[in-house]
Amino acid sequence: MILVTGGAGYIGSHTCLELLEAGHEVLVLDNLSNASPEGLRRVERLTGKKVELVEGDLRDGAALERLFGSRRIEAVLHFAGLKSVGESVEQPLRYYDNNVAGTVKLLEAMGRHGVKRLVFSSSATVYGDPSRVPVTEDMPLSAANPYGRTKLIIEDMCREVFRADPSWRIALLRYFNPVGAHASGEIGEDPQGVPNNLMPFALQVAVGRRPVLNVFGGDWPTADGTGVRDYIHVVDLAKGHVAALAKLDALGGCVPLNLGTGRGVSVLELVAGLSRAVGRPVPHQVVARRAGDVASVFADPTRAAQLLGWRAELGLDAMCADSWRWQSQNPNGYAR
Ligand code: NAD
Ligand code: UDP
């Protein structure tokens, strides 16, 4: 079976669904600090298959010991972590403890039990402010905030674990900007509090929970002056994990891979796409730039295509239509 840490969360729950559809058995470890168990119940309903959810913390060595001691785990998909940039600036130690110390515990338990196959949720944030786009995996890495630094440290740790013991097989999946939801509208992103990211904020404006979307900067050196990112449909991303798992042994090492579409989309293009999906304009206004933002980041996804045989298939309209289906069917997320 596959152990999915953080499997109750946004990307994890979509990946559990794709793993089940691909015939894997799935065990989730999640402390539910940023998720509801309802998402996985819906995954079970959609697939007609069971997902075992163990409510527990990555940093609890005894809980990990029980988990690895009692099951035959073939590989680990490691999503569990805190992910808010702003919060990480205010509470850096909480991020180092949860993300870095938690991953140390996980890797120790994996090593002890001879489970040396790992797929890790890294991020395009490890490229900092890239000197050119599209971004390739060999470009320099840097961290602009504590969240990004936890990703960089964990990547470094993985490289060193592999160097010390070359029998490990590790894929470092660098996600660009995940958006969208399962086509059923039954599972999706359910952020707590005020969303930081563009799509969840725009969706809450579209559904009437907030009055207007602030577009951070109209004077970036891009075609329409707004920031450009590589939005990737979460179902494509989930399928990328299934592909990485299938090719993990063939990758033969500790390999970073960009998971993006290769297409840059501006804030205004995304707002226009969402407005089409909703059927009315999403109110927005251009305001000052947000501190720490960069103009344009999008992936060169060639390596993932070559090594995993995977590429993103869903475009902006599907991302917006599926996001909207989830948001309009579940205006308050899982707490309807
Ligand atoms: P999410 O918050 O929805 O999912 C993370 C899950 O991990 C949650 O269910 C949470 O309860 C759980 N968790 C957190 N700390 C834990 C701990 N110590 N022990 C057990 N469970 C714990 O976030 P997501 O968007 O699904 O992101 C998943 C992963 O992908 C994260 O590592 C994130 O940093 C990374 N990532 C996300 C994005 C994005 O934009 N969503 C982009 C790049 C990378
Ligand atoms: N953005 C925006 N308004 C928001 C949130 C984000 O204009 O309320 C812009 C942001 O400046 C960036 C893009 O949308 O150009 C994506 O931001 P997000 O926070 O979603 O992702 P990241 O900055 O991590 O790539």
Side-chain angles (χ1 to χ4, degrees), residues 5-13 29-36 56-59 78-83 98-99 102 120-125 147 151 173-178 189 197 237:
T5 76
Y10 171 45
I11 305 170
S13 57
L29 174 70
D30 199 301
N31 66 4
L32 302 182
S33 60
N34 195 38
S36 151
D57 199 291
L58 213 50
R59 294 160 294 180
H78 178 30
F79 295 93
L82 301 174
K83 61 164 185 177
N98 195 87
N99 294 6
F120 172 61
S121 301
S122 188
S123 165
T125 190
Y147 165 69
K151 293 293 174 195
L173 302 185
R174 295 179 179 157
Y175 313 156
F176 281 67
N177 290 58
E189 185 170 16
N197 297 111
L237 194 58

mmCIF file of all heavy atoms in Angstrom, residues 5-13 29-36 56-59 78-83 98-99 102 120-125 147 151 173-178 189 197 237, ligand 1:
data_model
loop_
_atom_site.group_PDB
_atom_site.id
_atom_site.type_symbol
_atom_site.label_atom_id
_atom_site.label_comp_id
_atom_site.label_asym_id
_atom_site.label_seq_id
_atom_site.Cartn_x
_atom_site.Cartn_y
_atom_site.Cartn_z
ATOM 1 N N THR A 5 1.053 11.038 3.294
ATOM 2 C CA THR A 5 1.001 11.985 4.419
ATOM 3 C C THR A 5 0.305 13.255 3.923
ATOM 4 O O THR A 5 0.500 13.666 2.776
ATOM 5 C CB THR A 5 2.402 12.358 4.944
ATOM 6 O OG1 THR A 5 3.011 13.273 4.029
ATOM 7 C CG2 THR A 5 3.292 11.131 5.140
ATOM 8 N N GLY A 6 -0.539 13.841 4.770
ATOM 9 C CA GLY A 6 -1.270 15.033 4.339
ATOM 10 C C GLY A 6 -2.308 14.708 3.276
ATOM 11 O O GLY A 6 -2.737 15.588 2.528
ATOM 12 N N GLY A 7 -2.732 13.462 3.231
ATOM 13 C CA GLY A 7 -3.645 12.996 2.173
ATOM 14 C C GLY A 7 -5.063 13.511 2.292
ATOM 15 O O GLY A 7 -5.854 13.351 1.363
ATOM 16 N N ALA A 8 -5.402 14.135 3.447
ATOM 17 C CA ALA A 8 -6.753 14.691 3.585
ATOM 18 C C ALA A 8 -6.835 16.104 3.009
ATOM 19 O O ALA A 8 -7.923 16.661 2.889
ATOM 20 C CB ALA A 8 -7.167 14.704 5.057
ATOM 21 N N GLY A 9 -5.691 16.697 2.663
ATOM 22 C CA GLY A 9 -5.650 18.078 2.178
ATOM 23 C C GLY A 9 -6.054 18.203 0.711
ATOM 24 O O GLY A 9 -6.530 17.233 0.094
ATOM 25 N N TYR A 10 -5.850 19.383 0.190
ATOM 26 C CA TYR A 10 -6.310 19.720 -1.175
ATOM 27 C C TYR A 10 -5.658 18.811 -2.233
ATOM 28 O O TYR A 10 -6.345 18.037 -2.918
ATOM 29 C CB TYR A 10 -5.987 21.197 -1.430
ATOM 30 C CG TYR A 10 -6.188 21.686 -2.839
ATOM 31 C CD1 TYR A 10 -7.328 21.370 -3.568
ATOM 32 C CD2 TYR A 10 -5.228 22.509 -3.440
ATOM 33 C CE1 TYR A 10 -7.511 21.849 -4.864
ATOM 34 C CE2 TYR A 10 -5.405 23.003 -4.727
ATOM 35 C CZ TYR A 10 -6.541 22.661 -5.442
ATOM 36 O OH TYR A 10 -6.709 23.128 -6.713
ATOM 37 N N ILE A 11 -4.353 18.876 -2.356
ATOM 38 C CA ILE A 11 -3.703 18.095 -3.425
ATOM 39 C C ILE A 11 -3.693 16.615 -3.054
ATOM 40 O O ILE A 11 -3.900 15.735 -3.899
ATOM 41 C CB ILE A 11 -2.272 18.626 -3.680
ATOM 42 C CG1 ILE A 11 -2.310 20.133 -3.973
ATOM 43 C CG2 ILE A 11 -1.626 17.888 -4.845
ATOM 44 C CD1 ILE A 11 -0.940 20.803 -4.002
ATOM 45 N N GLY A 12 -3.499 16.346 -1.749
ATOM 46 C CA GLY A 12 -3.464 14.953 -1.287
ATOM 47 C C GLY A 12 -4.765 14.215 -1.575
ATOM 48 O O GLY A 12 -4.735 13.059 -2.026
ATOM 49 N N SER A 13 -5.905 14.847 -1.319
ATOM 50 C CA SER A 13 -7.179 14.136 -1.514
ATOM 51 C C SER A 13 -7.400 13.828 -3.001
ATOM 52 O O SER A 13 -7.862 12.737 -3.353
ATOM 53 C CB SER A 13 -8.352 14.939 -0.944
ATOM 54 O OG SER A 13 -8.404 16.228 -1.529
ATOM 55 N N LEU A 29 -1.987 9.440 6.480
ATOM 56 C CA LEU A 29 -1.644 9.979 7.797
ATOM 57 C C LEU A 29 -1.836 11.489 7.725
ATOM 58 O O LEU A 29 -1.188 12.161 6.911
ATOM 59 C CB LEU A 29 -0.183 9.673 8.160
ATOM 60 C CG LEU A 29 0.292 10.331 9.463
ATOM 61 C CD1 LEU A 29 -0.361 9.693 10.679
ATOM 62 C CD2 LEU A 29 1.817 10.265 9.594
ATOM 63 N N ASP A 30 -2.738 12.020 8.544
ATOM 64 C CA ASP A 30 -3.001 13.464 8.518
ATOM 65 C C ASP A 30 -3.431 13.893 9.911
ATOM 66 O O ASP A 30 -4.227 13.207 10.555
ATOM 67 C CB ASP A 30 -4.106 13.775 7.483
ATOM 68 C CG ASP A 30 -4.124 15.235 7.071
ATOM 69 O OD1 ASP A 30 -4.295 16.100 7.948
ATOM 70 O OD2 ASP A 30 -3.979 15.516 5.864
ATOM 71 N N ASN A 31 -2.911 15.016 10.389
ATOM 72 C CA ASN A 31 -3.326 15.488 11.721
ATOM 73 C C ASN A 31 -4.555 16.397 11.645
ATOM 74 O O ASN A 31 -4.991 16.931 12.660
ATOM 75 C CB ASN A 31 -2.168 16.193 12.447
ATOM 76 C CG ASN A 31 -1.743 17.478 11.765
ATOM 77 O OD1 ASN A 31 -2.356 17.902 10.791
ATOM 78 N ND2 ASN A 31 -0.695 18.103 12.268
ATOM 79 N N LEU A 32 -5.089 16.559 10.437
ATOM 80 C CA LEU A 32 -6.306 17.357 10.205
ATOM 81 C C LEU A 32 -6.161 18.802 10.672
ATOM 82 O O LEU A 32 -7.144 19.472 10.981
ATOM 83 C CB LEU A 32 -7.537 16.678 10.839
ATOM 84 C CG LEU A 32 -7.815 15.253 10.343
ATOM 85 C CD1 LEU A 32 -9.094 14.683 10.994
ATOM 86 C CD2 LEU A 32 -7.983 15.214 8.815
ATOM 87 N N SER A 33 -4.903 19.308 10.713
ATOM 88 C CA SER A 33 -4.694 20.698 11.106
ATOM 89 C C SER A 33 -5.203 21.650 10.031
ATOM 90 O O SER A 33 -5.532 22.796 10.310
ATOM 91 C CB SER A 33 -3.208 20.970 11.379
ATOM 92 O OG SER A 33 -2.440 20.720 10.215
ATOM 93 N N ASN A 34 -5.266 21.180 8.787
ATOM 94 C CA ASN A 34 -5.770 22.053 7.715
ATOM 95 C C ASN A 34 -6.664 21.272 6.757
ATOM 96 O O ASN A 34 -6.626 21.490 5.547
ATOM 97 C CB ASN A 34 -4.595 22.685 6.952
ATOM 98 C CG ASN A 34 -5.041 23.851 6.094
ATOM 99 O OD1 ASN A 34 -5.911 24.629 6.501
ATOM 100 N ND2 ASN A 34 -4.492 23.981 4.899
ATOM 101 N N ALA A 35 -7.434 20.335 7.303
ATOM 102 C CA ALA A 35 -8.286 19.527 6.423
ATOM 103 C C ALA A 35 -9.450 18.971 7.225
ATOM 104 O O ALA A 35 -9.385 18.885 8.449
ATOM 105 C CB ALA A 35 -7.477 18.388 5.818
ATOM 106 N N SER A 36 -10.486 18.579 6.466
ATOM 107 C CA SER A 36 -11.646 17.929 7.069
ATOM 108 C C SER A 36 -11.631 16.470 6.613
ATOM 109 O O SER A 36 -11.275 16.191 5.461
ATOM 110 C CB SER A 36 -12.899 18.633 6.556
ATOM 111 O OG SER A 36 -13.978 17.744 6.530
ATOM 112 N N GLY A 56 -3.038 11.500 12.855
ATOM 113 C CA GLY A 56 -1.809 11.529 13.636
ATOM 114 C C GLY A 56 -0.841 12.525 13.038
ATOM 115 O O GLY A 56 -1.059 13.036 11.927
ATOM 116 N N ASP A 57 0.211 12.804 13.778
ATOM 117 C CA ASP A 57 1.167 13.837 13.388
ATOM 118 C C ASP A 57 2.482 13.213 12.923
ATOM 119 O O ASP A 57 2.974 12.258 13.518
ATOM 120 C CB ASP A 57 1.436 14.767 14.581
ATOM 121 C CG ASP A 57 2.035 16.076 14.147
ATOM 122 O OD1 ASP A 57 3.210 16.073 13.701
ATOM 123 O OD2 ASP A 57 1.334 17.099 14.229
ATOM 124 N N LEU A 58 2.995 13.830 11.876
ATOM 125 C CA LEU A 58 4.277 13.460 11.303
ATOM 126 C C LEU A 58 5.410 13.452 12.342
ATOM 127 O O LEU A 58 6.348 12.677 12.254
ATOM 128 C CB LEU A 58 4.593 14.577 10.304
ATOM 129 C CG LEU A 58 5.348 14.332 9.045
ATOM 130 C CD1 LEU A 58 4.762 13.176 8.291
ATOM 131 C CD2 LEU A 58 5.295 15.600 8.197
ATOM 132 N N ARG A 59 5.305 14.359 13.306
ATOM 133 C CA ARG A 59 6.392 14.510 14.285
ATOM 134 C C ARG A 59 6.292 13.509 15.422
ATOM 135 O O ARG A 59 7.149 13.483 16.288
ATOM 136 C CB ARG A 59 6.378 15.943 14.851
ATOM 137 C CG ARG A 59 6.708 16.985 13.814
ATOM 138 C CD ARG A 59 6.217 18.344 14.233
ATOM 139 N NE ARG A 59 4.761 18.384 14.271
ATOM 140 C CZ ARG A 59 4.038 19.445 14.612
ATOM 141 N NH1 ARG A 59 4.634 20.554 14.951
ATOM 142 N NH2 ARG A 59 2.716 19.392 14.605
ATOM 143 N N HIS A 78 4.592 12.317 0.166
ATOM 144 C CA HIS A 78 4.697 13.181 1.351
ATOM 145 C C HIS A 78 4.199 14.599 1.062
ATOM 146 O O HIS A 78 4.951 15.464 0.612
ATOM 147 C CB HIS A 78 6.160 13.194 1.808
ATOM 148 C CG HIS A 78 6.429 14.070 2.986
ATOM 149 N ND1 HIS A 78 5.497 14.331 3.957
ATOM 150 C CD2 HIS A 78 7.558 14.739 3.359
ATOM 151 C CE1 HIS A 78 6.028 15.134 4.862
ATOM 152 N NE2 HIS A 78 7.269 15.404 4.525
ATOM 153 N N PHE A 79 2.893 14.817 1.357
ATOM 154 C CA PHE A 79 2.263 16.131 1.181
ATOM 155 C C PHE A 79 2.212 16.927 2.473
ATOM 156 O O PHE A 79 2.025 18.147 2.435
ATOM 157 C CB PHE A 79 0.800 15.972 0.718
ATOM 158 C CG PHE A 79 0.618 15.345 -0.633
ATOM 159 C CD1 PHE A 79 0.425 13.971 -0.775
ATOM 160 C CD2 PHE A 79 0.625 16.126 -1.776
ATOM 161 C CE1 PHE A 79 0.245 13.397 -2.015
ATOM 162 C CE2 PHE A 79 0.441 15.563 -3.023
ATOM 163 C CZ PHE A 79 0.251 14.192 -3.145
ATOM 164 N N ALA A 80 2.266 16.249 3.627
ATOM 165 C CA ALA A 80 1.968 16.933 4.896
ATOM 166 C C ALA A 80 2.916 18.093 5.123
ATOM 167 O O ALA A 80 4.137 17.954 4.998
ATOM 168 C CB ALA A 80 2.059 15.943 6.057
ATOM 169 N N GLY A 81 2.350 19.241 5.449
ATOM 170 C CA GLY A 81 3.173 20.408 5.714
ATOM 171 C C GLY A 81 2.293 21.634 5.839
ATOM 172 O O GLY A 81 1.123 21.615 5.434
ATOM 173 N N LEU A 82 2.868 22.682 6.409
ATOM 174 C CA LEU A 82 2.193 23.985 6.456
ATOM 175 C C LEU A 82 2.635 24.750 5.220
ATOM 176 O O LEU A 82 3.776 24.617 4.778
ATOM 177 C CB LEU A 82 2.584 24.728 7.735
ATOM 178 C CG LEU A 82 2.242 24.008 9.044
ATOM 179 C CD1 LEU A 82 2.812 24.766 10.245
ATOM 180 C CD2 LEU A 82 0.732 23.842 9.193
ATOM 181 N N LYS A 83 1.747 25.606 4.668
ATOM 182 C CA LYS A 83 2.065 26.147 3.331
ATOM 183 C C LYS A 83 1.792 27.632 3.140
ATOM 184 O O LYS A 83 1.784 28.115 2.010
ATOM 185 C CB LYS A 83 1.298 25.358 2.271
ATOM 186 C CG LYS A 83 -0.204 25.446 2.451
ATOM 187 C CD LYS A 83 -0.961 25.000 1.223
ATOM 188 C CE LYS A 83 -2.441 25.205 1.391
ATOM 189 N NZ LYS A 83 -3.233 24.865 0.233
ATOM 190 N N ASN A 98 7.268 21.871 12.011
ATOM 191 C CA ASN A 98 6.289 21.022 11.321
ATOM 192 C C ASN A 98 6.880 20.417 10.039
ATOM 193 O O ASN A 98 6.826 19.196 9.841
ATOM 194 C CB ASN A 98 5.046 21.843 10.990
ATOM 195 C CG ASN A 98 3.863 20.967 10.626
ATOM 196 O OD1 ASN A 98 3.118 20.526 11.483
ATOM 197 N ND2 ASN A 98 3.721 20.670 9.354
ATOM 198 N N ASN A 99 7.425 21.269 9.186
ATOM 199 C CA ASN A 99 7.830 20.789 7.860
ATOM 200 C C ASN A 99 9.172 20.056 7.900
ATOM 201 O O ASN A 99 9.291 18.941 7.380
ATOM 202 C CB ASN A 99 7.913 21.962 6.880
ATOM 203 C CG ASN A 99 6.548 22.594 6.617
ATOM 204 O OD1 ASN A 99 5.554 22.234 7.242
ATOM 205 N ND2 ASN A 99 6.498 23.547 5.707
ATOM 206 N N GLY A 102 9.338 17.399 11.030
ATOM 207 C CA GLY A 102 8.383 16.340 10.679
ATOM 208 C C GLY A 102 8.959 15.416 9.603
ATOM 209 O O GLY A 102 8.830 14.193 9.674
ATOM 210 N N PHE A 120 8.086 13.618 -2.962
ATOM 211 C CA PHE A 120 7.954 14.770 -2.070
ATOM 212 C C PHE A 120 7.311 15.960 -2.778
ATOM 213 O O PHE A 120 7.662 16.295 -3.904
ATOM 214 C CB PHE A 120 9.335 15.172 -1.518
ATOM 215 C CG PHE A 120 9.293 16.468 -0.744
ATOM 216 C CD1 PHE A 120 8.511 16.583 0.391
ATOM 217 C CD2 PHE A 120 10.013 17.584 -1.179
ATOM 218 C CE1 PHE A 120 8.431 17.791 1.091
ATOM 219 C CE2 PHE A 120 9.950 18.788 -0.488
ATOM 220 C CZ PHE A 120 9.154 18.886 0.649
ATOM 221 N N SER A 121 6.402 16.652 -2.037
ATOM 222 C CA SER A 121 5.728 17.856 -2.535
ATOM 223 C C SER A 121 6.633 19.063 -2.369
ATOM 224 O O SER A 121 6.612 19.722 -1.342
ATOM 225 C CB SER A 121 4.457 18.131 -1.723
ATOM 226 O OG SER A 121 3.561 17.067 -1.794
ATOM 227 N N SER A 122 7.436 19.362 -3.391
ATOM 228 C CA SER A 122 8.222 20.587 -3.352
ATOM 229 C C SER A 122 7.443 21.673 -4.108
ATOM 230 O O SER A 122 6.248 21.506 -4.395
ATOM 231 C CB SER A 122 9.611 20.356 -3.945
ATOM 232 O OG SER A 122 10.412 21.500 -3.720
ATOM 233 N N SER A 123 8.114 22.760 -4.412
ATOM 234 C CA SER A 123 7.371 23.902 -4.957
ATOM 235 C C SER A 123 8.263 24.719 -5.877
ATOM 236 O O SER A 123 9.487 24.783 -5.690
ATOM 237 C CB SER A 123 6.918 24.772 -3.789
ATOM 238 O OG SER A 123 6.504 26.035 -4.252
ATOM 239 N N ALA A 124 7.636 25.405 -6.819
ATOM 240 C CA ALA A 124 8.372 26.336 -7.682
ATOM 241 C C ALA A 124 8.968 27.480 -6.878
ATOM 242 O O ALA A 124 9.823 28.209 -7.388
ATOM 243 C CB ALA A 124 7.441 26.886 -8.758
ATOM 244 N N THR A 125 8.537 27.635 -5.629
ATOM 245 C CA THR A 125 9.101 28.689 -4.789
ATOM 246 C C THR A 125 10.610 28.484 -4.579
ATOM 247 O O THR A 125 11.314 29.448 -4.287
ATOM 248 C CB THR A 125 8.355 28.768 -3.428
ATOM 249 O OG1 THR A 125 8.773 29.949 -2.748
ATOM 250 C CG2 THR A 125 8.665 27.595 -2.529
ATOM 251 N N TYR A 147 8.835 29.577 4.613
ATOM 252 C CA TYR A 147 8.144 28.449 3.948
ATOM 253 C C TYR A 147 9.027 27.884 2.834
ATOM 254 O O TYR A 147 9.273 26.677 2.761
ATOM 255 C CB TYR A 147 6.795 28.896 3.380
ATOM 256 C CG TYR A 147 6.202 27.912 2.403
ATOM 257 C CD1 TYR A 147 5.736 26.679 2.839
ATOM 258 C CD2 TYR A 147 6.144 28.191 1.025
ATOM 259 C CE1 TYR A 147 5.220 25.749 1.935
ATOM 260 C CE2 TYR A 147 5.622 27.277 0.127
ATOM 261 C CZ TYR A 147 5.162 26.058 0.587
ATOM 262 O OH TYR A 147 4.661 25.145 -0.311
ATOM 263 N N LYS A 151 11.153 24.055 2.174
ATOM 264 C CA LYS A 151 11.143 23.194 0.973
ATOM 265 C C LYS A 151 12.575 22.933 0.496
ATOM 266 O O LYS A 151 12.935 21.808 0.137
ATOM 267 C CB LYS A 151 10.327 23.843 -0.148
ATOM 268 C CG LYS A 151 8.848 23.949 0.133
ATOM 269 C CD LYS A 151 8.191 22.576 0.194
ATOM 270 C CE LYS A 151 6.740 22.638 0.606
ATOM 271 N NZ LYS A 151 6.173 21.346 1.006
ATOM 272 N N LEU A 173 8.951 16.723 -6.517
ATOM 273 C CA LEU A 173 8.031 17.315 -7.490
ATOM 274 C C LEU A 173 7.820 18.790 -7.166
ATOM 275 O O LEU A 173 7.313 19.135 -6.103
ATOM 276 C CB LEU A 173 6.692 16.562 -7.480
ATOM 277 C CG LEU A 173 6.784 15.067 -7.778
ATOM 278 C CD1 LEU A 173 5.391 14.449 -7.870
ATOM 279 C CD2 LEU A 173 7.559 14.783 -9.066
ATOM 280 N N ARG A 174 8.279 19.621 -8.077
ATOM 281 C CA ARG A 174 8.162 21.075 -7.869
ATOM 282 C C ARG A 174 6.893 21.557 -8.547
ATOM 283 O O ARG A 174 6.854 21.736 -9.774
ATOM 284 C CB ARG A 174 9.399 21.780 -8.438
ATOM 285 C CG ARG A 174 10.670 21.386 -7.682
ATOM 286 C CD ARG A 174 11.901 22.055 -8.242
ATOM 287 N NE ARG A 174 13.088 21.679 -7.492
ATOM 288 C CZ ARG A 174 14.326 21.729 -7.967
ATOM 289 N NH1 ARG A 174 14.545 22.154 -9.202
ATOM 290 N NH2 ARG A 174 15.351 21.373 -7.212
ATOM 291 N N TYR A 175 5.846 21.774 -7.723
ATOM 292 C CA TYR A 175 4.564 22.203 -8.279
ATOM 293 C C TYR A 175 4.624 23.681 -8.604
ATOM 294 O O TYR A 175 5.140 24.469 -7.829
ATOM 295 C CB TYR A 175 3.422 22.049 -7.283
ATOM 296 C CG TYR A 175 3.299 20.759 -6.530
ATOM 297 C CD1 TYR A 175 2.643 20.749 -5.304
ATOM 298 C CD2 TYR A 175 3.798 19.560 -7.025
ATOM 299 C CE1 TYR A 175 2.481 19.583 -4.583
ATOM 300 C CE2 TYR A 175 3.642 18.384 -6.307
ATOM 301 C CZ TYR A 175 2.992 18.403 -5.085
ATOM 302 O OH TYR A 175 2.828 17.262 -4.368
ATOM 303 N N PHE A 176 3.955 24.051 -9.695
ATOM 304 C CA PHE A 176 3.771 25.465 -9.984
ATOM 305 C C PHE A 176 2.482 25.908 -9.261
ATOM 306 O O PHE A 176 2.430 25.772 -8.051
ATOM 307 C CB PHE A 176 3.905 25.715 -11.493
ATOM 308 C CG PHE A 176 5.395 25.725 -11.844
ATOM 309 C CD1 PHE A 176 6.162 24.559 -11.741
ATOM 310 C CD2 PHE A 176 6.047 26.906 -12.126
ATOM 311 C CE1 PHE A 176 7.553 24.583 -11.943
ATOM 312 C CE2 PHE A 176 7.426 26.937 -12.349
ATOM 313 C CZ PHE A 176 8.173 25.778 -12.246
ATOM 314 N N ASN A 177 1.459 26.432 -9.893
ATOM 315 C CA ASN A 177 0.321 26.957 -9.125
ATOM 316 C C ASN A 177 -0.910 26.066 -9.274
ATOM 317 O O ASN A 177 -1.677 26.226 -10.238
ATOM 318 C CB ASN A 177 0.016 28.388 -9.578
ATOM 319 C CG ASN A 177 1.100 29.366 -9.159
ATOM 320 O OD1 ASN A 177 2.269 29.203 -9.515
ATOM 321 N ND2 ASN A 177 0.743 30.366 -8.389
ATOM 322 N N PRO A 178 -1.129 25.167 -8.320
ATOM 323 C CA PRO A 178 -2.260 24.247 -8.431
ATOM 324 C C PRO A 178 -3.593 24.973 -8.239
ATOM 325 O O PRO A 178 -3.746 25.760 -7.299
ATOM 326 C CB PRO A 178 -2.055 23.261 -7.264
ATOM 327 C CG PRO A 178 -0.669 23.496 -6.763
ATOM 328 C CD PRO A 178 -0.324 24.904 -7.109
ATOM 329 N N GLU A 189 -10.472 22.714 -3.048
ATOM 330 C CA GLU A 189 -9.652 23.426 -2.054
ATOM 331 C C GLU A 189 -10.578 24.146 -1.074
ATOM 332 O O GLU A 189 -11.499 24.842 -1.485
ATOM 333 C CB GLU A 189 -8.742 24.435 -2.773
ATOM 334 C CG GLU A 189 -7.782 25.138 -1.837
ATOM 335 C CD GLU A 189 -6.712 25.947 -2.573
ATOM 336 O OE1 GLU A 189 -6.889 26.212 -3.780
ATOM 337 O OE2 GLU A 189 -5.711 26.304 -1.921
ATOM 338 N N ASN A 197 -4.084 32.919 -1.848
ATOM 339 C CA ASN A 197 -3.816 32.646 -3.259
ATOM 340 C C ASN A 197 -4.916 33.197 -4.155
ATOM 341 O O ASN A 197 -6.050 33.393 -3.721
ATOM 342 C CB ASN A 197 -3.644 31.139 -3.490
ATOM 343 C CG ASN A 197 -2.444 30.599 -2.746
ATOM 344 O OD1 ASN A 197 -2.584 29.849 -1.790
ATOM 345 N ND2 ASN A 197 -1.250 31.015 -3.154
ATOM 346 N N LEU A 237 -2.066 17.432 -11.757
ATOM 347 C CA LEU A 237 -1.011 17.317 -10.747
ATOM 348 C C LEU A 237 -1.093 15.960 -10.048
ATOM 349 O O LEU A 237 -0.079 15.265 -9.864
ATOM 350 C CB LEU A 237 -1.200 18.455 -9.734
ATOM 351 C CG LEU A 237 -0.079 18.759 -8.780
ATOM 352 C CD1 LEU A 237 1.188 19.095 -9.530
ATOM 353 C CD2 LEU A 237 -0.476 19.954 -7.887
HETATM 354 P P1 NAD B 1 -3.135 21.333 2.461
HETATM 355 O O1 NAD B 1 -2.932 22.190 3.653
HETATM 356 O O2 NAD B 1 -4.513 21.240 1.895
HETATM 357 O O3 NAD B 1 -2.627 19.843 2.762
HETATM 358 C C1 NAD B 1 -1.606 19.553 3.685
HETATM 359 C C2 NAD B 1 -2.130 18.506 4.648
HETATM 360 O O4 NAD B 1 -1.113 18.160 5.573
HETATM 361 C C3 NAD B 1 -3.338 18.989 5.458
HETATM 362 O O5 NAD B 1 -4.379 18.040 5.320
HETATM 363 C C4 NAD B 1 -2.818 19.069 6.896
HETATM 364 O O6 NAD B 1 -3.825 18.765 7.842
HETATM 365 C C5 NAD B 1 -1.686 18.038 6.868
HETATM 366 N N1 NAD B 1 -0.583 18.276 7.823
HETATM 367 C C6 NAD B 1 0.115 19.415 8.009
HETATM 368 N N2 NAD B 1 1.076 19.227 8.938
HETATM 369 C C7 NAD B 1 0.975 17.929 9.341
HETATM 370 C C8 NAD B 1 1.687 17.136 10.284
HETATM 371 N N3 NAD B 1 2.672 17.632 11.025
HETATM 372 N N4 NAD B 1 1.327 15.837 10.438
HETATM 373 C C9 NAD B 1 0.302 15.312 9.714
HETATM 374 N N5 NAD B 1 -0.405 16.017 8.806
HETATM 375 C C10 NAD B 1 -0.066 17.310 8.631
HETATM 376 O O7 NAD B 1 -2.109 21.804 1.337
HETATM 377 P P2 NAD B 1 -1.986 21.402 -0.198
HETATM 378 O O8 NAD B 1 -2.261 22.608 -1.012
HETATM 379 O O9 NAD B 1 -2.729 20.145 -0.479
HETATM 380 O O10 NAD B 1 -0.415 21.152 -0.278
HETATM 381 C C11 NAD B 1 0.161 19.869 -0.126
HETATM 382 C C12 NAD B 1 1.678 19.985 -0.193
HETATM 383 O O11 NAD B 1 2.047 20.583 -1.435
HETATM 384 C C13 NAD B 1 2.293 20.866 0.898
HETATM 385 O O12 NAD B 1 3.506 20.279 1.319
HETATM 386 C C14 NAD B 1 2.550 22.166 0.181
HETATM 387 O O13 NAD B 1 3.613 22.889 0.759
HETATM 388 C C15 NAD B 1 2.893 21.688 -1.220
HETATM 389 N N6 NAD B 1 2.645 22.707 -2.249
HETATM 390 C C16 NAD B 1 1.410 23.269 -2.347
HETATM 391 C C17 NAD B 1 1.183 24.264 -3.297
HETATM 392 C C18 NAD B 1 -0.160 24.943 -3.408
HETATM 393 O O14 NAD B 1 -0.236 26.011 -3.994
HETATM 394 N N7 NAD B 1 -1.246 24.383 -2.888
HETATM 395 C C19 NAD B 1 2.227 24.653 -4.166
HETATM 396 C C20 NAD B 1 3.464 24.027 -4.057
HETATM 397 C C21 NAD B 1 3.663 23.051 -3.083
#
